[in-house]
Amino acid sequence: MQKKTTCLSVVASLILATNLYSQTEQLSTIEISSSYLKSNEKTATFSTEIYTNDEIKKSKAKDIYDFLNSQTSINIAPSYGNSFTQKIDLRGYGIGDGYQNVVVSVNGRRINNIDMQPQLLSAIPLSNIKKIEIIKGSGSVQYGDGANAGVINIITNGKNDNYIMAHMGNDDTKGGTLSLGFNNENLIINALLDYSSTNGTREDSSNTKDSNHNRNRKVELIYFPTENLELRAGRTLSDMRLKYAGSLTKDEYKSNPNQSNGFTEQYFNSYLTTLGATYNLNKNYSFDVNYNREDKLSEFVGSSKSQYEYESFNASFNIKKDDYSIVLGTDTFDGDRISSSNITNKTNKSLFVSADYQVSKDLKFSAGMRREKVEYEYNPTSGNSLGTAEYLNAYDIGVNYSLSDSSSIFANYNRSYQTPDIDRFFSSSWTNIGGTWVQTVSSFNGFIEPAKVKNYTIGYSNIQKDNKLKISLFRSELTNEIYYYNVGGANKNTNIDKSHKYGLEIFDKYLINKNLYASINYSYIIAKIDNENEENGAYDGKDLPGVSKHNLTLNLGYTYKKLNTILSYTYRSSAYAANDFENNFEQKQEAYKSTDLNVSYDFKNIEVFAKVQNLFDEDNGLWIKDDSIYPVNFERTYYAGIKYKF
């Protein structure tokens, strides 16, 4: 570790020595696009973390998972080796099931699944993203079910840039993007083609490797028939095929993380249709309506196959005055999973209202509530059908006070909930397919309770032309946190009776001079189990497994004329293995460490770029239990490419 720290210090010293210029670039307060209520980083009554298109482009991340893991406070890890649907952890819900406690939305459309599959972010090309907004400890009024830790809002481009891009790297990695955008005063037409593939990094005894490919195609039309009316329509097709390797014992992992005892092969495709309209009655009143339908197929080659049919609809009436805003909305979702043995359905229907009031120049209040009905139906091809329904409420109250033109403080109280996914109602058996343990439904488990959370957050923001500082303290008190119990041959989905989480979050970006900036994103998180009767108190007072106490990302960026370079460092401290609820496994989750370096150069309409990930060749892995380790970003990788704008 000392050697690596020294390397970072040397690079920093060399760059700092070039501090010969006065400040020209300036930081600014960013508007929050995804909220129905008008707000920005400084006036928001909740904790925010926002990344612009420029920051996303400069990172040269290979995909959205890479960007979130290396640039934000979010912890990302491949799901049992599956790099296309990775696990997400925000605010200490654990790398095991944390993804079910955060809502991910794309232009307002939530992409959370009705079963235990993580959100599919690989269908969103990074080059098509305009902004990423992370709302922490809030969002349950607008997004409802699952927004316990918060919401990750992804906003794509209004009009695409025109460019073609290609890259190549080690392990026969290659990819390309064609982006087209046309507009006049009444019409925007976008088209995007995106492809990536790799020969893989892990290999079995027969020289088979974990190869994969990912293809995304999108066409979008935005039409303005009148000054006050906007109509939207889009069609997206994504298909992926991948082989991902199984777990290794600790001895195997330490001797050669590139090896594999077998592979799981999966095929996945998605057809998405989006329709929407916004009508402005005048400058103060507007309607917004959106409809989405997604048809998906997930097939484990040689094993199981499931089809998914998702339909969602939301509508809102928005009132925006000089000193207050009000939104009245409805939000519905209807999802089916269809397999050879059953059809399972989950339906969400909700109404919500949210408002903010600017009491004075410096003081703003916000409040909102949501009422949601969640219904389940299980219809097997043989046997009795099952069903149940839940009625749940979400609340949010916040206040923001401006201390000066550049600084403010806020406080927020949020009530949220997470209903079980359709897999949680069944106990499960596990089958080893090609070296990977695959979960299969075996018997009805019972309609377990939804999780309910009380979130408390206070924070401070100071945004100046050369420095952006955000600090927040949070505490979350949970009832019936959902988890999978698997001890001594007994296995079922159930609830942790009482648990809590608290922590400190710090973000700071400082423009040292016109060429150089530094940023830090740090979170300290404690997640505790207070009371769990399943093991007669054996879990009481234990740490929730899979939660790192210390999470850190550092960035040092340098620009000289057309040259841009960023040195990044990501660190997650050690934790208990994902299944270690009693905190007594022999093996713990080791600390995650990765140093990345990217360089790009612009010349007229051409940009050339290169990136090295895990510069110091660190060994990284995801520990599920003793001798069940999935290597993650465990070797040095690199790629280079060219982008032509026209």
Side-chain angles (χ1 to χ4, degrees):
M1 184 65 189
Q2 181 62 41
K3 180 180 178 181
K4 297 173 180 57
T5 304
T6 302
C7 291
L8 289 172
S9 301
V10 169
V11 174
S13 299
L14 289 173
I15 298 178
L16 284 169
T18 66
N19 187 2
L20 303 175
Y21 304 94
S22 61
Q23 179 70 47
T24 56
E25 183 186 356
Q26 294 185 359
L27 298 175
S28 61
T29 302
I30 303 172
E31 293 291 324
I32 300 173
S33 305
S34 57
S35 175
Y36 283 119
L37 303 177
K38 184 179 180 180
S39 188
N40 59 49
E41 291 176 289
K42 179 177 174 289
T43 63
T45 59
F46 45 83
S47 179
T48 64
E49 190 176 325
I50 303 177
Y51 299 91
T52 64
N53 179 258
D54 185 61
E55 291 171 313
I56 295 169
K57 286 180 178 178
K58 285 183 178 179
S59 73
K60 300 306 171 190
K62 63 181 179 181
D63 55 35
I64 187 171
Y65 289 120
D66 178 26
F67 179 84
L68 292 174
N69 195 52
S70 64
Q71 303 295 313
T72 78
S73 60
I74 297 172
N75 189 2
I76 301 288
S79 178
Y80 300 98
N82 187 335
S83 60
F84 283 172
T85 54
Q86 300 198 32
K87 290 178 176 286
I88 301 169
D89 178 29
L90 174 66
R91 277 198 169 182
Y93 281 82
I95 198 61
D97 296 327
Y99 66 94
Q100 295 194 318
N101 292 273
V102 59
V103 170
V104 181
S105 78
V106 181
N107 299 326
R109 177 183 67 89
R110 56 183 295 145
I111 63 172
N112 294 51
N113 288 303
I114 64 172
D115 57 10
M116 292 193 72
Q117 293 296 316
Q119 300 91 336
L120 180 68
L121 272 63
S122 295
I124 312 166
L126 189 65
S127 58
N128 192 224
I129 296 176
K130 180 181 179 181
K131 191 191 296 184
I132 297 174
E133 300 176 348
I134 303 171
I135 310 300
K136 300 179 181 180
S138 185
S140 60
V141 169
Q142 184 170 339
Y143 292 96
D145 189 6
N148 288 338
V151 183
I152 302 171
N153 290 308
I154 300 166
I155 298 104
T156 60
N157 296 325
K159 175 193 170 294
N160 286 0
D161 294 331
N162 292 300
Y163 66 86
I164 186 169
M165 179 171 63
H167 70 268
M168 297 183 66
N170 63 319
D171 297 314
D172 198 26
T173 297
K174 54 184 177 291
T177 302
L178 173 63
S179 174
L180 301 172
F182 166 83
N183 74 294
N184 57 32
E185 62 180 16
N186 297 110
L187 182 66
I188 298 174
I189 301 175
N190 292 322
L192 185 77
L193 299 173
D194 182 75
Y195 172 83
S196 64
S197 67
T198 180
N199 195 36
T201 57
R202 297 180 62 188
E203 187 174 0
D204 65 12
S205 57
S206 62
N207 299 321
T208 301
K209 301 188 72 174
D210 54 339
S211 58
N212 63 65
H213 76 255
N214 179 14
R215 294 180 292 195
N216 297 296
R217 287 139 283 183
K218 180 178 181 180
V219 177
E220 182 181 44
L221 184 146
I222 306 172
Y223 179 51
F224 305 90
T226 68
E227 183 179 351
N228 295 325
L229 179 62
E230 175 184 320
L231 302 175
R232 301 176 295 274
R235 180 73 165 167
T236 303
L237 168 62
S238 302
D239 69 270
M240 308 160 197
R241 195 175 190 99
L242 71 156
K243 296 175 183 174
Y244 52 97
S247 63
L248 300 176
T249 66
K250 187 174 183 178
D251 288 342
E252 291 171 333
Y253 169 72
K254 292 298 183 181
S255 65
N256 179 18
N258 293 88
Q259 65 181 302
S260 174
N261 298 317
F263 298 97
T264 298
E265 186 172 1
Q266 185 180 14
Y267 172 74
F268 190 94
N269 67 26
S270 166
Y271 296 87
L272 171 66
T273 300
T274 61
L275 299 171
T278 300
Y279 181 65
N280 298 307
L281 282 75
N282 53 45
K283 69 175 184 178
N284 299 124
Y285 302 96
S286 65
F287 286 102
D288 191 71
V289 179
N290 295 281
Y291 169 80
N292 305 282
R293 178 179 174 99
E294 184 176 19
D295 295 280
K296 301 190 290 185
L297 171 67
S298 175
E299 179 180 0
F300 290 92
V301 179
S303 179
S304 61
K305 178 168 66 174
S306 296
Q307 293 177 275
Y308 299 83
E309 296 177 358
Y310 289 176
E311 284 189 294
S312 61
F313 172 83
N314 61 68
S316 64
F317 177 60
N318 309 283
I319 304 170
K320 294 186 179 180
K321 299 283 189 173
D322 291 338
D323 55 358
Y324 70 88
S325 300
I326 302 173
V327 58
L328 303 168
T330 181
D331 194 5
T332 66
F333 172 84
D334 188 355
D336 290 311
R337 183 180 67 183
I338 306 165
S339 69
S340 59
S341 60
N342 62 74
I343 299 176
T344 310
N345 172 269
K346 182 180 181 182
T347 303
N348 297 59
K349 299 175 183 177
S350 63
L351 296 172
F352 64 90
V353 58
S354 190
D356 63 23
Y357 178 51
Q358 195 74 41
V359 180
S360 66
K361 176 185 175 183
D362 299 325
L363 181 63
K364 182 171 79 170
F365 284 99
S366 68
M369 67 173 296
R370 181 186 184 100
R371 176 70 167 173
E372 186 158 0
K373 179 183 180 181
V374 183
E375 296 178 280
Y376 299 90
E377 288 186 11
Y378 173 66
N379 298 298
T381 53
S382 61
N384 296 325
S385 297
L386 302 169
T388 191
E390 296 281 355
Y391 293 86
L392 297 149
N393 298 317
Y395 305 96
D396 192 276
I397 302 172
V399 59
N400 182 291
Y401 182 75
S402 293
L403 302 170
S404 67
D405 290 340
S406 61
S407 63
S408 66
I409 56 175
F410 74 87
N412 182 270
Y413 169 71
N414 178 271
R415 287 284 300 270
S416 62
Y417 51 85
Q418 176 213 347
T419 59
D421 65 73
I422 61 175
D423 287 334
R424 293 291 191 178
F425 296 134
F426 300 89
S427 60
S428 305
S429 59
W430 295 80
T431 304
N432 191 300
I433 301 175
T436 297
W437 290 96
V438 176
Q439 189 179 34
T440 57
V441 171
S442 57
S443 61
F444 183 61
N445 181 85
F447 292 117
I448 65 175
E449 294 293 323
K452 297 179 181 179
V453 185
K454 299 176 182 178
N455 292 297
Y456 306 87
T457 307
I458 59 173
Y460 169 78
S461 298
N462 191 318
I463 302 174
Q464 303 182 42
K465 66 179 183 180
D466 60 353
N467 191 69
K468 180 179 291 189
L469 171 66
K470 298 181 184 181
I471 302 173
S472 60
L473 292 166
F474 74 89
R475 180 179 175 88
S476 300
E477 298 175 353
L478 295 84
T479 303
N480 294 323
E481 185 171 5
I482 300 170
Y483 81 110
Y484 182 69
Y485 175 80
N486 184 11
V487 177
N491 55 80
K492 61 180 178 178
N493 290 287
T494 186
N495 303 98
I496 296 172
D497 300 285
K498 297 286 184 181
S499 55
H500 73 274
K501 312 174 196 300
Y502 63 88
L504 166 69
E505 299 164 329
I506 300 174
F507 172 85
D508 188 67
K509 183 175 182 180
Y510 178 49
L511 303 182
I512 300 168
N513 60 40
K514 75 171 187 179
N515 301 96
L516 182 67
Y517 80 84
S519 70
I520 179 172
N521 199 329
Y522 171 76
S523 59
Y524 172 78
I525 298 172
I526 297 294
K528 289 285 187 179
I529 300 171
D530 297 320
N531 180 34
E532 168 49 23
N533 293 324
E534 201 69 58
E535 272 292 281
N536 297 316
Y539 298 167
D540 294 1
K542 304 297 186 181
D543 289 340
L544 187 73
V547 178
S548 296
K549 290 183 180 179
H550 303 281
N551 302 270
L552 174 70
T553 59
L554 296 171
N555 283 279
L556 193 64
Y558 180 71
T559 301
Y560 180 73
K561 295 182 178 180
K562 300 292 185 179
L563 179 68
N564 180 73
T565 182
I566 300 176
L567 181 67
S568 303
Y569 177 69
T570 304
Y571 172 79
R572 319 281 187 206
S573 63
S574 63
Y576 291 103
N579 289 353
D580 188 8
F581 286 88
E582 202 169 344
N583 299 174
N584 63 357
F585 288 2
E586 292 182 6
Q587 300 171 15
K588 291 185 68 174
Q589 167 74 53
E590 292 183 355
Y592 175 95
K593 300 182 287 290
S594 181
T595 304
D596 302 344
L597 176 65
N598 75 69
V599 180
S600 61
Y601 183 81
D602 289 301
F603 178 74
K604 294 183 179 180
N605 294 333
I606 297 176
E607 177 191 13
V608 293
F609 58 89
K611 183 170 184 176
V612 180
Q613 291 181 286
N614 198 359
L615 184 65
F616 298 111
D617 207 19
E618 299 277 7
D619 291 334
N620 294 306
L622 173 62
W623 263 255
I624 303 300
K625 56 184 179 180
D626 288 338
D627 285 330
S628 181
I629 305 164
Y630 292 85
V632 175
N633 190 22
F634 56 88
E635 64 179 4
R636 184 186 301 111
T637 60
Y638 57 86
Y639 57 90
I642 186 169
K643 179 179 181 179
Y644 175 68
K645 305 170 189 176
F646 56 89

